[in-house]
Amino acid sequence: MKIETFALERWMTRWETVVRYDLAESGIKPMTVDELLTLAGRDAALERMLGISLGYSEARGTVELRGLLAALYRDVTPDEILVTTGAIEANFLLFNVLLNPGDHIIVVDPAYQQLQSVPKAIGCDVSLWKLRPENDFRYDLDELEALVNVRTRLIVINTPHNPTGSVLTPVEQERVFAIAERVGAHVMGDEAYRWLTLPGREPFAGPVRDLGERGISVGTLSKPFGLPGLRIGWIAATPEIVRACWSQRDYISLSPGKLNDYLATLAIQQREAIFARTQKIASENLATLEQWIHEREDLVSWVPSRGGLLGLLRYDIDVPSMELADRLASEASVMLAPGAAFGYEHFLRIGIGGDPAVFREGLGRAASVLEAARSEVGPA
Ligand SMILES: Cc1ncc(COP(=O)(O)O)c(C=O)c1O
């Protein structure tokens, strides 16, 4: 498969090991193994971990883990779950199973690039469902109605959304599902940011899998759990789709790592405590960010994120986002992701999941660079 370069990943790898203030990170401050074991009852959990024999694991993920994951949905059995190497493998398998060259599909835009680049590489006819700044990055259901046709095989949504923090409400998501059902298409929900509610925001839609057979949910421990290093994600879909994805996976990664599978079971069991940790970090950073924007409204503005951990900052400076992001990284050791990586100029993507002290300090340093850039080149 010939595929275009993953623009954001390339930009991130250039800076992420050298900057001190990574405000571009898309997840929550990662947990340590020690923190996770302590939540689960350290001595017993450690003893069980040390006794694990490191043979190949169950290909679909252990039945224990799949059972715990299945219980996160309505009426889903362990056979309707496939544990994958992160949400990224789940998405990749699903596209390869569900799509053929020439199929029409609809994908949210802007988007986590994989959601558009893989279907394009397969040879699909990809229509973009735009979240526009002039519409406060809301999903416009009438626009979806206009994009869908009898050839549409798949609608790909992502709620809460990377990079805008937009969400679908439960009613809106039901309408997406009804539109797909009308033409016999599936709805694939990249739910990497599930559970990540923000203080004072309206509730957003639950898993699309719960709406019916044509709903497919992708989940991960990377964002809400702060465990991206475990590389554990999953697919919740019908047994037929899960089996087909499993067949593809036989050629790629075969099975999850055994230690990771075990630590994932602990994480799911301890999720309420983990989400409390996540909420605490995200709400503290959100308050810091809102104050920071308020203090420089002529320079930076945003559509407040409605869920998840990400948002787009619009800056009023006459400089392309890639250049500005490089300057922030090299002069202030601050990473904010360039909007250009999502096809949006004069925006920087910010993540509110980092360590609160680092986040606050990073914003202060970013402000100095933004102010200097504006006085040099003027407003956009
Ligand atoms: C929307 C979205 N989907 C999928 C992924 C991949 O996540 P994972 O670490 O589970 O592979 C990401 C990571 O940033 C993401 O933002």
Side-chain angles (χ1 to χ4, degrees), residues 26 85-88 91 112 158 162 190 192-193 220 222-223 231:
S26 60
T85 311
I88 199 164
N91 290 338
Y112 180 62
N158 171 220
N162 172 5
D190 179 328
Y193 290 88
T220 177
S222 294
K223 315 298 177 186
R231 306 309 301 129

Side-chain angles (χ1 to χ4, degrees), residues 141-184:
L141 276 293
D142 294 335
E143 206 163 317
L144 178 65
E145 291 273 12
L147 291 173
V148 88
N149 65 51
V150 289
R151 291 189 308 110
T152 308
R153 305 299 342 125
L154 183 68
I155 299 174
V156 182
I157 53 178
N158 171 220
T159 185
H161 179 244
N162 172 5
T164 67
S166 184
V167 299
L168 280 162
T169 65
V171 170
E172 287 169 338
Q173 185 164 275
E174 276 167 27
R175 191 162 154 212
V176 174
F177 194 75
I179 292 170
E181 282 216 303
R182 213 174 58 219
V183 295

Side-chain angles (χ1 to χ4, degrees), residues 95-126:
F95 287 136
N96 280 286
V97 160
L98 297 170
L99 301 175
N100 288 305
D103 283 350
H104 178 244
I105 84 158
I106 299 171
V107 186
V108 60
D109 181 77
Y112 180 62
Q113 190 183 327
Q114 182 198 26
L115 302 179
Q116 300 180 353
S117 295
V118 176
K120 278 192 219 155
I122 290 171
C124 296
D125 169 13
V126 180

